[in-house]
Amino acid sequence: MSERIIDCGDGVIKCRTCAWSPPGDHPVGCGMYLTVKDGKVVDVEGDPDHPITQGRLCVRCLTLPEYMYNEKRILTPLTRKREDRGKDAWEAITWDEALDIIEEKVAYVKENWGAESIVAFQGTGREATLYKTPLAYAALGTPNSCFPMSGDSCYGPRCSVADFILGAGYPELDYAAFFPDRFDDPRYEVPKYIVLWGKDPLFSNPDGFFGHTLIDLMKRGSKYVVIDPRVTWMAAHADYHLQLRPGTDAALGLGMINLVIQEDLYDHDFVENWCYGFDELKERAAEYPLDKVEEITWVPAETIAAATRAIATNHPSSFMWGLAIDTNSNGVQAGHTVLILAAILGDLDVPGGVTLAVPASFMGKWRYECAQQLPPGMLEKQITDPKYKGFRAAHLIAHPDCILDTLETDEPYPLKMAWFYATNGIANTTNAQGKRWFKALEKMEFNVCQDVFMTPTAMGLCDLFLPVTTFAEHDGMVLPHFGRNTHMVMAMNKCVEVGDCKSDLEIDFLVGKRLNPQAWPWDNVADFFTEQLHNGGVDMTFEDLQNDGWLQMDFEYRKYEKGLLRPDGEPGFNTPTGLVELCSSLYEDWGEDPLPYFEENALTPYSRPDLAEEYPLIMTTGGRETTSFHSEHRQVPSLRAIMPNPLVQIHPETAAKYGIEDGDWVCIENPLGKAIEKAKITTIVDPRVIHAQHGWWFPEQDAEAPNLNGVWKANINSLIPHRAIGRIGFGAPFKNVLCKISKVDGLDALGTLSPDTVEGAIGTDPASPVATRKEA
C-alpha cells in the first residue's frame, strides 16, 4: 500500500488521493500523487499502487493545476441583484452572508408559494450525484429534485431496467476489480468475448469503469464485439463491428436473441431454473428474423449471425451497455434485450461474465432517510406524470420533461426558485430547446448556482454563486458505479486549499444546518463518512480509509444460488417472480409491453417520411473526447489546444455532396433548431450519419447576455425534441434525430443567437406514438 503523504524535502510533499470531482468525471477513482510546493499543486502523477488504474492517468487529470489555478475560477461567494441577471455585476460576499441570503429567500418562497415551488437541478457524473437530492429533501424541503435531461437519459434508465428485470444493481463487466491480485486471482476467468454495446470506454471511462482495462484484457486474450454507429478505436480492433443505424439497438438485440434460440445456443439449465417467460420471449423474438433486422439496422445479417454465434459459443463472455441505450426512446426495450442475452447465455454473475450486486447504492440508506425528512404529503406533490409509472417506481425524483412543462405553464403549481447543483444545464444537459428552459427559468424569483467556474447558466440565470472545491481540496469518498455495483471504496484526501471554496457536501452541511439542523447531526464530513462506511457494512473509520487509500470489497459469484441477491435470503433474483424476467411481470401494470420490441424514435427519416427529403441525414451525438467531461474543461489551455473547436464528423461522400471540406464550418439543422460546428471529414461514420460533439460553449467569448459565452451557437441539444420519450418515462432521442447540413462562413454565421427566439417542437405528445412496432 502506498503512503498517504511523502515528504520530498525542501518543503515539497506528495499527497496521495483518488480523483472524482470537480473537475467533472465519472467515479473511476484514478489513483494519483499531487506534488505540493508552497501550498500549491505543481505536478500530478499516477499512483502505481492503485489496484485499478496502476499509475495511468488521462490528460484531464494531468492538467489539474491548469484547472485549479485558472484565472477564470471563482474563489469566493458572489451575489447580484435579480434585475442584473445576464450582467457581470457580481459582488463578493462571505459564506455567512450567502447563507443569510439563502435563509431569507427560501423562507420567502416557502411562505408565498410553498416548499414545492423550489426545484434543485444536478448535472451528470460528478460526486454531486450523491449530494444534490439530500440537499433538496433534507435542507430545502422540496420534493422536486431533478436531473434535467429528457427521459432522465443517463445511467438511471439502465439502473432501473436492471432493477426491473434482474432485481439487481448496475450490471458490469467482470474486470476482477474485487481482487487485490486482479486478473491473476484463481477465482477469476478472462472473458472470451466482451460486447461493447453503445459504449466507448477508452474515451468515456463510463459510470466508474476504467476504460484502459479493456486493453489489459485484450492482452490477456479477450476478443471484442463492438456495437456502435462509428468505427471507434475498439471497433477497429474488434473481431466484429456491428455498425448499426443509431436508435435501432432493440431490433438488433431481438435478432440476436432469435438466432440464439433458433440455433439452440442458449444455456438450458439457467433458462429452466432461473428465468421467467422464455416461451413468450421465443415467440416475440421470432418476429425479428435477421433479414428484417438487417433492413432496420443496416447491419448485414451475416455479420449479426457471426457475432452472435461467437459470444454464444465462447464462455464466459460479457456485456457492457452504454449511454446509447439511455439516449433512445426505445431504450428500455434495448436494455431489456442486452440483459436477456447475458442471462440466456448463462453469463450472469459468473467469473469473467457480468457481475451483479444487490439493488441498492452504497449511500442509498442515507439518501432514502433524507426523503423521509419531507413533511407528510410533500412527496406526493413531486412533479411527474401519472403515466410514467416505471419512472416513479425506480426514482424518487421529479420527471425532467414534466418540470419543463410546469415551468412554462405553472401547472400544477408555479416553480419560483431553482438551485443549479453542479450543472451547466443550458450548455449541456437540458434538452429540447435549451432556449425554452432558459426563458422559463428567467421567470424564477431566486436562483442559486454552485460550481467552479462562471458558466453560461450561472451568468444568465443566477442571483447567488457558491464556489466549489476540486477533489484536491476536500476530503471525500469515491464510489465506482455510483455505489450500485460496489467493488471498491476510495478516499479523496484534501491536499491544498484554493480560495474560499467548499465541497458539495460541505455546502449541504452549511445549508442544512441553517434550514433543517436536525437532519444534519454530523460535526464534520469525516464523522459522516465513517457512518456511511458502517451503514455499508465496512468496519473502519474514514480516517482508516484515508490512510489505506482504498478498500476492495469481498465478492462472491453466483449469488442467486446462495440467497445473496434477495432481502429474504432465499435463492433467486429480487424480482416479483424471483427469476430473471425475460417477460416482465411489472411492465403491463405500467402500460408497457412486457416483452422487448422495436419502435422508431420520434424524429428520424423513417418515423417522419414527410421530412426525410429535406432532412435526409441522421445526427448522433454524445461521443466523448479525452479533453473534456461534457461541458467542462473548455477554459483549460492545454486541453483547449488539443480540441479548440466543436467538431462534426462527416463521411467523405456526404461532405463532397454538400460541398464541405475538412475544417469548414457547418450548420446542422432540423425543424427544431440549428447549431454550427467544424467539419471533420472521416470514414468512421456511415454516409447517412453525422456525429456532432455536445456540451460546447466558449469561455473566451463575451460572457454577458445575450451572448453568454456563445452558448447558443454550437448547442446541439437544440435539435432534440421535447418529451419524445418512452412509455414508462425513460429514454429520449439524443442520438438519433434527422437533420441536414450546409457550409457556412463561420461560428457566427447565424448571427447573434439569444433565447428570445424559441424554436418549436416535434413529437412532443407522449400519448401518440410516432410509429407502432408493426409499422417499424
Side-chain angles (χ1 to χ4, degrees):
M1 188 70 70
S2 53
E3 297 180 61
R4 180 176 171 184
I5 301 292
I6 299 175
D7 188 347
C8 302
D10 296 327
V12 177
I13 63 168
K14 288 186 177 181
C15 177
R16 187 196 64 214
T17 190
C18 294
W20 194 351
S21 63
D25 198 359
H26 285 122
V28 176
C30 302
M32 66 184 69
Y33 277 101
L34 304 180
T35 300
V36 179
K37 181 178 182 180
D38 299 326
K40 186 174 181 178
V41 174
V42 296
D43 194 25
V44 181
E45 59 186 297
D47 181 354
D49 293 322
H50 190 281
I52 305 298
T53 56
Q54 300 172 327
R56 297 166 292 189
L57 295 175
C58 74
V59 67
R60 296 197 304 273
C61 284
L62 295 173
T63 56
L64 177 65
E66 290 185 55
Y67 185 99
M68 292 174 64
Y69 304 111
N70 191 288
E71 63 179 9
K72 293 182 178 291
R73 186 173 172 188
I74 307 300
L75 300 176
T76 187
L78 302 175
T79 188
R80 67 181 174 189
K81 297 177 181 178
R82 186 179 183 278
E83 59 265 28
D84 287 332
R85 288 180 188 171
K87 300 177 183 177
D88 190 9
W90 298 97
E91 295 181 7
I93 57 173
T94 66
W95 279 98
D96 282 340
E97 290 172 322
L99 292 169
D100 289 342
I101 294 171
I102 292 168
E103 189 171 14
E104 175 192 349
K105 295 295 186 181
V106 170
Y108 171 72
V109 170
K110 287 183 177 180
E111 181 179 350
N112 287 277
W113 298 281
E116 65 271 21
S117 66
I118 303 171
V119 57
F121 296 114
Q122 78 177 58
T124 184
R126 282 196 193 172
E127 59 180 298
T129 300
L130 303 178
Y131 306 131
K132 178 268 301 179
T133 296
L135 174 83
Y137 293 166
L140 300 175
T142 178
N144 289 317
S145 168
C146 181
F147 172 55
M149 186 176 183
S150 182
D152 194 48
S153 301
C154 181
Y155 189 70
R158 278 171 286 153
C159 290
S160 301
V161 170
D163 200 356
F164 301 154
I165 302 305
L166 305 177
Y170 185 72
E172 185 54 273
L173 161 72
D174 183 4
Y175 58 109
F178 310 94
F179 308 131
D181 50 354
R182 294 295 302 285
F183 308 122
D184 295 321
D185 191 285
R187 291 168 289 182
Y188 183 69
E189 187 173 350
V190 173
K192 301 295 192 302
Y193 274 90
I194 299 171
V195 182
L196 302 180
W197 201 314
K199 199 162 193 161
D200 190 14
L202 288 184
F203 285 81
S204 60
N205 295 302
D207 314 319
F209 174 81
F210 182 53
H212 201 80
T213 299
L214 299 180
I215 307 303
D216 298 336
L217 289 169
M218 183 183 290
K219 292 177 179 178
R220 290 174 176 259
S222 290
K223 297 179 181 180
Y224 288 88
V225 174
V226 173
I227 300 172
D228 200 295
R230 297 190 297 162
V231 185
T232 62
W233 191 94
M234 289 302 303
H237 292 79
D239 276 26
Y240 302 97
H241 176 208
L242 280 57
Q243 192 172 6
L244 79 171
R245 172 165 67 91
T248 60
D249 306 77
L252 178 62
L254 282 158
M256 296 171 75
I257 292 167
N258 185 45
L259 185 75
V260 167
I261 295 173
Q262 294 300 317
E263 297 191 357
D264 196 23
L265 299 176
Y266 61 93
D267 185 321
H268 284 253
D269 179 71
F270 189 87
V271 167
E272 290 168 8
N273 291 291
W274 303 107
C275 293
Y276 169 79
F278 181 76
D279 290 339
E280 293 90 338
L281 172 69
K282 180 179 180 180
E283 184 178 349
R284 173 59 55 80
E287 298 177 21
Y288 291 85
L290 291 190
D291 56 347
K292 175 181 176 179
V293 174
E294 176 178 342
E295 183 180 353
I296 295 171
T297 66
W298 302 345
V299 183
E302 58 270 23
T303 304
I304 301 172
T308 304
R309 292 177 185 126
I311 61 176
T313 57
N314 290 278
H315 300 283
S317 285
S318 191
F319 292 78
M320 298 188 77
W321 52 348
L323 188 68
I325 300 296
D326 300 336
T327 49
N328 182 348
S329 304
N330 199 208
V332 165
Q333 291 70 39
H336 198 171
T337 67
V338 176
L339 297 183
I340 286 171
L341 282 165
I344 67 175
L345 293 176
D347 287 319
L348 282 181
D349 212 19
V350 298
V354 178
T355 65
L356 299 182
V358 293
S361 63
F362 188 78
M363 288 189 180
K365 180 177 182 291
W366 169 61
R367 283 182 276 175
Y368 177 80
E369 290 171 347
C370 285
Q372 308 313 302
Q373 291 287 328
L374 292 170
M378 182 61 76
L379 195 58
E380 285 70 31
K381 295 182 180 180
Q382 190 174 76
I383 293 172
T384 187
D385 188 315
K387 292 190 291 292
Y388 301 150
K389 295 178 182 178
F391 186 93
R392 291 289 291 163
H395 280 349
L396 271 178
I397 61 175
H399 195 282
D401 299 80
C402 300
I403 286 284
L404 177 55
D405 291 341
T406 293
L407 285 167
E408 293 183 328
T409 66
D410 289 343
E411 296 293 338
Y413 51 79
L415 293 169
K416 292 294 182 178
M417 174 181 164
W419 194 296
F420 297 94
Y421 200 117
T423 176
N424 182 13
I426 65 171
N428 191 53
T429 314
T430 52
N431 75 301
Q433 332 314 241
K435 296 177 187 177
R436 286 179 61 184
W437 280 89
F438 188 89
K439 287 184 70 68
L441 288 162
E442 278 187 311
K443 299 182 299 185
M444 306 293 263
E445 291 286 323
F446 181 65
N447 293 329
V448 181
C449 178
Q450 62 184 69
D451 215 319
V452 184
F453 291 91
M454 183 61 64
T455 64
T457 302
M459 180 62 80
L461 293 170
C462 294
D463 311 301
L464 183 67
F465 188 101
L466 306 179
V468 178
T469 53
T470 69
F471 68 81
E473 301 155 43
H474 67 258
D475 292 327
M477 287 203 309
V478 186
L479 306 178
H481 313 295
F482 305 96
R484 291 178 179 267
N485 193 330
T486 303
H487 63 263
M488 285 184 71
V489 180
M490 291 167 271
M492 285 180 284
N493 295 321
K494 182 176 180 178
C495 301
V496 296
E497 290 186 1
V498 180
D500 193 12
C501 306
K502 307 288 185 185
S503 72
D504 289 309
L505 182 58
E506 288 171 330
I507 293 173
D508 277 18
F509 273 35
L510 289 173
V511 177
K513 287 178 180 292
R514 276 289 189 105
L515 302 182
N516 189 24
Q518 68 269 20
W520 303 87
W522 306 277
D523 292 330
N524 52 63
V525 296
D527 291 345
F528 168 80
F529 285 127
T530 294
E531 181 174 308
Q532 299 311 310
L533 287 166
H534 292 167
N535 288 341
V538 178
D539 186 18
M540 67 189 319
T541 67
F542 179 62
E543 184 178 4
D544 294 334
L545 182 66
Q546 288 182 294
N547 290 328
D548 291 347
W550 47 80
L551 171 70
Q552 288 170 288
M553 304 293 198
D554 293 332
F555 184 76
E556 288 195 53
Y557 292 110
R558 297 182 174 87
K559 290 181 283 297
Y560 54 88
E561 295 180 346
K562 306 166 186 175
L564 299 177
L565 290 176
R566 296 175 56 90
D568 59 10
E570 292 296 316
F573 293 81
N574 191 35
T575 62
T577 60
L579 303 168
V580 176
E581 298 203 342
L582 311 179
C583 177
S584 172
S585 64
L586 298 171
Y587 287 177
E588 277 192 306
D589 292 338
W590 300 337
E592 180 58 279
D593 193 323
L595 291 160
Y597 58 87
F598 171 68
E599 183 174 87
E600 277 290 338
N601 279 260
L603 194 57
T604 76
Y606 295 84
S607 61
R608 295 300 305 269
D610 55 313
L611 298 173
E613 185 174 352
E614 183 176 359
Y615 304 99
L617 301 175
I618 296 173
M619 183 191 77
T620 185
T621 187
R624 307 297 167 75
E625 303 297 331
T626 57
T627 53
S628 61
F629 184 76
H630 299 299
S631 68
E632 286 201 70
H633 302 95
R634 304 298 182 195
Q635 61 283 92
V636 178
S638 294
L639 301 179
R640 195 61 187 281
I642 297 170
M643 184 64 66
N645 295 299
L647 299 180
V648 53
Q649 294 172 338
I650 307 171
H651 191 277
E653 293 177 13
T654 310
K657 179 178 179 180
Y658 294 101
I660 295 169
E661 297 182 355
D662 197 70
D664 284 345
W665 287 102
V666 174
C667 179
I668 309 160
E669 181 178 359
N670 71 14
L672 301 178
K674 303 176 182 179
I676 292 178
E677 297 194 352
K678 209 164 198 177
K680 175 65 177 178
I681 310 304
T682 174
T683 57
I684 74 169
V685 290
D686 186 281
R688 296 161 286 186
V689 173
I690 64 169
H691 176 274
Q693 290 181 352
H694 72 293
W696 269 90
W697 57 294
F698 305 90
E700 68 277 9
Q701 291 193 11
D702 180 14
E704 292 191 321
N707 190 60
L708 296 177
N709 299 111
V711 71
W712 310 117
K713 297 175 181 178
N715 196 323
I716 213 69
N717 284 10
S718 66
L719 283 76
I720 310 299
H722 167 58
R723 206 165 174 172
I725 60 180
R727 289 182 178 85
I728 63 174
F730 290 115
F734 283 88
K735 286 183 176 288
N736 41 76
V737 293
L738 52 71
C739 71
K740 64 181 179 181
I741 57 175
S742 58
K743 179 180 176 179
V744 294
D745 292 335
L747 190 63
D748 296 319
L750 298 180
T752 300
L753 298 176
S754 76
D756 294 335
T757 302
V758 178
E759 295 90 348
I762 286 180
T764 60
D765 182 5
S768 301
V770 295
T772 66
R773 176 166 55 87
K774 294 297 185 183
E775 290 170 342

